[in-house]
Amino acid sequence: MDYFLFDLEEYYKILFYILAGAVILYFIFRVGFRFRVIQILLKYVRSMNQILMGMNKVLAIIIGFYVMISILASAALMGVKGISILYLKVSLFSWINGSLAFFATGLGCATMALMFYLLENIHPKMLSLDYEKGGRFRNWSKATEQYLAKINWAERVFRNLEEARCFGSGRIVIWSPSANRATYELKLSRFLQSRGHPVICFASDQLSGKEQPGPIEEETLIFRYKGSINADLAVEWLKEEGYPKVDVIWDIKGVLRYKPQKEVANQLLHYAESLQVGGCVVIEAYSRKNSLASWLNSIHFELKGRSFDYLEKSTYQSKMMEAYKKDGRLKEVFDEVHVVDPEQSDCNMVVYIKKQRANQ
């Protein structure tokens, strides 16, 4: 006697076609997207991003559905009463426990999720496209700011850097070459001002948005912002302003992070040319692991626009750890100092301090 309303063999065929089609389509779009094959042919970068995001949402719904079914099926497998309808007849195996079929389906979906996650993360090329409108990291800045506010990032980081004596004494000149809206540059300037330091802060960014902060001219704080200018042109801007050398280069998820790996060491050496002896380059150094939690956080961000963790690896983890280890020139010019927060690892930083004997 059959316990189900349709032939399980037909169910398997339908399920196989759906899952196989989803895998093939996703693979075509994701790999094509990463290597710009589809964009070059169709010239719709944003549309492709939106399609990929839609696929991620559908995938999340499918996984949630099959996880629920798998739990019920597992309960039937353990002999829970009232779920005997899940015992199905399969012509190929003859009276196999239907819960195993559902459990295998859920496991297959989990495998698909892992494959999609790896596809999204093992191809670092064209990373900037993720930040286009419709990309999986669009609006990442606001989501990250919300998360950083939740863990009190700014106050903790500034205090830790001060305790590590990264700021020196007297007047402090700061340059941020990739400031975005300069939210933390302004907070850092105000923090140092409250500690009795006269502060001069220059913030620049390659992009030019609508939320640029205006200039500040106070007795102990001068703040200036310039958009639509890359790091190389910003160096000339500093010279024009009369500050060819600065004390702190604030490069949080900035120029170093978005440089190709082979150019990272040279960029840090270029920074040395704009630093006073004893000055420092500050980058973030939290560790984001390739885990299920990270993938779920990405899905949560795409669905809700909010994040409960970092959405991407830190500059140190993704670029500088390898660069400083392999390029001996950096060790001749900089000391690498880890500023660790004992209570909140997401506030960990790395500081590259220009050596006294650095011939720059």
Side-chain angles (χ1 to χ4, degrees):
M1 183 175 66
D2 293 340
Y3 289 91
F4 211 58
L5 298 179
F6 59 87
D7 190 350
L8 188 60
E9 198 169 338
E10 294 299 320
Y11 162 78
Y12 271 132
K13 288 181 180 179
I14 295 172
L15 179 64
F16 173 78
Y17 292 142
I18 292 174
L19 295 184
V23 170
I24 292 171
L25 285 175
Y26 197 96
F27 183 83
I28 291 173
F29 278 119
R30 178 58 70 188
V31 175
F33 172 73
R34 285 297 174 196
F35 295 98
R36 286 192 174 227
V37 174
I38 294 177
Q39 288 94 316
I40 292 173
L41 294 176
L42 301 180
K43 298 182 180 179
Y44 290 131
V45 176
R46 293 179 179 178
S47 297
M48 297 309 300
N49 268 326
Q50 291 167 353
I51 291 173
L52 290 170
M53 282 186 55
M55 287 184 172
N56 282 340
K57 293 177 181 179
V58 171
L59 176 63
I61 294 172
I62 292 175
I63 291 172
F65 172 76
Y66 277 109
V67 166
M68 179 181 66
I69 293 297
S70 296
I71 292 174
L72 293 175
S74 299
L77 180 62
M78 293 183 290
V80 177
K81 295 181 180 180
I83 318 181
S84 59
I85 193 173
L86 291 175
Y87 285 84
L88 312 176
K89 181 179 179 181
V90 184
S91 59
L92 181 61
F93 298 104
S94 182
W95 290 99
I96 187 172
N97 192 324
S99 60
L100 289 176
F102 281 106
F103 185 77
T105 303
L107 184 62
C109 286
T111 303
M112 282 175 56
L114 177 61
M115 183 188 72
F116 293 162
Y117 174 77
L118 291 176
L119 271 174
E120 290 180 346
N121 288 274
I122 62 177
H123 295 295
K125 294 183 179 180
M126 308 308 170
L127 178 64
S128 61
L129 294 178
D130 285 332
Y131 300 88
E132 292 277 352
K133 183 178 179 180
R136 60 185 177 131
F137 288 151
R138 85 254 176 258
N139 297 328
W140 70 272
S141 180
K142 292 183 179 179
T144 301
E145 283 182 12
Q146 291 174 352
Y147 172 67
L148 296 184
K150 182 178 179 181
I151 65 174
N152 200 21
W153 183 88
E155 183 177 339
R156 299 179 73 97
V157 166
F158 299 161
R159 186 180 65 246
N160 293 340
L161 292 172
E162 182 183 42
E163 292 175 356
R165 299 181 179 180
C166 297
F167 297 130
S169 59
R171 188 192 70 178
I172 299 176
V173 181
I174 304 169
W175 170 40
S176 176
S178 187
N180 201 349
R181 297 191 302 274
T183 301
Y184 296 103
E185 289 77 1
L186 279 169
K187 289 183 178 181
L188 174 61
S189 298
R190 290 298 185 188
F191 172 83
L192 293 173
Q193 185 185 31
S194 71
R195 292 297 201 264
H197 296 278
V199 179
I200 301 174
C201 181
F202 296 96
S204 58
D205 199 284
Q206 188 168 347
L207 301 178
S208 178
K210 297 180 180 180
E211 302 180 54
Q212 294 181 6
I216 298 174
E217 298 284 342
E218 298 178 2
E219 184 177 352
T220 58
L221 173 60
I222 297 175
F223 177 87
R224 292 171 187 166
Y225 184 100
K226 191 168 186 178
S228 302
I229 184 172
N230 62 30
D232 293 333
L233 293 176
V235 170
E236 299 304 317
W237 174 48
L238 292 175
K239 293 177 181 178
E240 293 172 2
E241 294 288 339
Y243 296 94
K245 302 281 187 180
V246 302
D247 302 298
V248 177
I249 296 179
W250 184 262
D251 198 28
I252 307 302
K253 292 189 178 179
V255 176
L256 288 172
R257 169 171 169 71
Y258 295 106
K259 283 286 184 182
Q261 186 64 52
K262 62 182 180 180
E263 299 178 18
V264 170
N266 287 334
Q267 181 60 52
L268 190 60
L269 293 174
H270 287 324
Y271 279 165
E273 297 173 2
S274 299
L275 275 177
Q276 301 280 6
V277 173
C280 63
V281 179
V282 182
I283 64 172
E284 79 286 359
Y286 61 85
S287 294
R288 179 182 182 272
K289 298 179 180 178
N290 292 327
S291 63
L292 177 61
S294 297
W295 183 79
L296 291 175
N297 183 44
S298 297
I299 292 295
H300 182 263
F301 171 68
E302 293 182 359
L303 294 173
K304 298 290 186 179
R306 295 185 179 182
S307 172
F308 54 81
D309 198 353
Y310 286 109
L311 290 163
E312 51 197 0
K313 293 181 179 180
S314 66
T315 302
Y316 180 74
Q317 185 182 16
S318 63
K319 297 292 174 67
M320 285 309 306
M321 181 166 57
E322 179 181 346
Y324 191 80
K325 180 180 179 180
K326 293 184 176 181
D327 198 316
R329 298 176 300 165
L330 300 183
K331 296 181 178 65
E332 295 176 0
V333 178
F334 290 100
D335 286 320
E336 183 183 80
V337 177
H338 289 253
V339 181
V340 178
D341 190 300
E343 298 176 358
Q344 178 55 265
S345 62
D346 281 352
C347 295
N348 291 348
M349 309 292 282
V350 165
V351 178
Y352 294 96
I353 301 176
K354 185 176 178 180
K355 295 181 179 181
Q356 292 285 343
R357 61 182 180 275
N359 185 22
Q360 296 287 342

